[in-house]
Amino acid sequence: MTTQDTDPLRAPARAARPPAWRAQMPVVAVVALGGALGATARYAASLAWPAGPGAFPWATFWVNVTGCAVIGVFMVLIHERWPGHRLLRPFFGTGVLGGFTTFSTYAVDIRTLVDDGHPRTALAYLAATLAAALTAVWLASTATRHVLRRRWS
């Protein structure tokens, strides 16, 4: 035995901690996987319901509104009822729903409509998406709370 093993005044040796990034790797992985799934679903919707030149981009509109409604339900469930696994929120909330809903396509759609000479359609799309998405998340979270209260009351 050495003196450091028997010296009562010497602080015990600490185990080496892994780097912080290593602890975050599972989170990064599930966000990436979820994002790939969500973005694939969004892309499939845009292929199924393409918008013609100057037309209102209904596919992106409904993807964003539907995604916001699902976010409202999901956030109430994981924050007020079932916390779930620590990777559930990063996978589904940030990954799947973050990849499914799309601010970038929304912005590009608006810019394209304006550039193609359809500013009224662009403005209508801008306002309608914002109003419908906020309404969807509010209605979905309120309805979910209501259902949960009735079910567990």
Side-chain angles (χ1 to χ4, degrees):
M1 258 195 201
T2 65
T3 53
Q4 70 184 26
D5 293 333
T6 58
D7 185 356
L9 299 176
R10 186 171 183 90
R14 291 186 181 186
R17 289 178 59 184
W21 65 267
R22 194 171 285 167
Q24 293 300 316
M25 286 309 293
V27 175
V28 171
V30 298
V31 168
L33 176 62
L37 295 172
T40 300
R42 175 179 31 89
Y43 183 65
S46 73
L47 292 177
W49 301 287
F56 193 93
W58 287 107
T60 304
F61 175 83
W62 286 115
V63 159
N64 284 333
V65 172
T66 303
C68 285
V70 174
I71 287 169
V73 172
F74 179 67
M75 295 309 283
V76 168
L77 291 177
I78 67 167
H79 282 286
E80 298 177 18
R81 277 297 165 199
W82 304 289
H85 189 276
R86 74 178 188 89
L87 296 177
L88 177 62
R89 184 175 175 183
F91 170 73
F92 191 71
T94 304
V96 174
L97 294 175
F100 184 64
T101 59
T102 169
F103 185 77
S104 59
T105 302
Y106 168 67
V108 168
D109 287 344
I110 292 166
R111 178 68 187 251
T112 301
L113 285 167
V114 170
D115 289 349
D116 290 350
H118 304 281
R120 286 190 202 130
T121 305
L123 187 58
Y125 175 54
L126 186 148
T129 298
L130 180 60
L134 290 173
T135 301
V137 75
W138 179 79
L139 284 173
S141 60
T142 300
T144 303
R145 281 188 188 98
H146 178 72
V147 167
L148 291 175
R149 259 189 244 113
R150 293 189 81 207
R151 192 171 202 185
W152 276 282
S153 294

